[in-house]
Amino acid sequence: MENQIENILVFATNIRTENDKQTISNVLNQNSEIDQWTLDQEDIDCVLRIVSDTLSEEQIINLLDNQNFKCSALE
């Protein structure tokens, strides 16, 4: 069984409202390179977790930036 941990990218975002979530949801769901994603809006950092075998942190940051959201990688 392969270890999938390295395919999980974790970000702090400013996706705070349900409208924000809906906006980014449409973008993330349409991206075929994203296998799965979750958003924890109850966390102070509004943590976005993305599972992707192909996308880099920089690509995700640019994707959210194009939708006028702030996003930074969490270690």
Side-chain angles (χ1 to χ4, degrees), residues 11-15 23-24 27-28 48 50 57-72:
F11 304 91
T13 72
N14 67 338
I15 303 170
T23 298
I24 206 62
V27 173
L28 297 177
L48 175 66
I50 293 182
E57 288 178 346
E58 184 177 335
Q59 289 171 305
I60 299 295
I61 291 168
N62 289 337
L63 185 68
L64 267 69
D65 186 55
N66 288 339
Q67 299 297 317
N68 297 315
F69 290 107
K70 293 181 182 175
C71 178
S72 60

Side-chain angles (χ1 to χ4, degrees), residues 2-53:
E2 283 185 41
N3 185 351
Q4 297 292 319
I5 299 293
E6 68 272 4
N7 300 331
I8 300 173
L9 306 171
V10 183
F11 304 91
T13 72
N14 67 338
I15 303 170
R16 304 222 181 274
T17 68
E18 279 305 309
N19 283 343
D20 291 348
K21 184 177 180 180
Q22 188 60 47
T23 298
I24 206 62
S25 174
N26 292 334
V27 173
L28 297 177
N29 288 336
Q30 290 175 6
N31 189 315
S32 62
E33 294 182 277
I34 296 175
D35 298 322
Q36 184 179 351
W37 66 272
T38 60
L39 178 66
D40 183 357
Q41 289 177 299
E42 293 183 18
D43 187 286
I44 193 166
D45 289 324
C46 294
V47 175
L48 175 66
R49 290 174 184 82
I50 293 182
V51 178
S52 175
D53 290 330

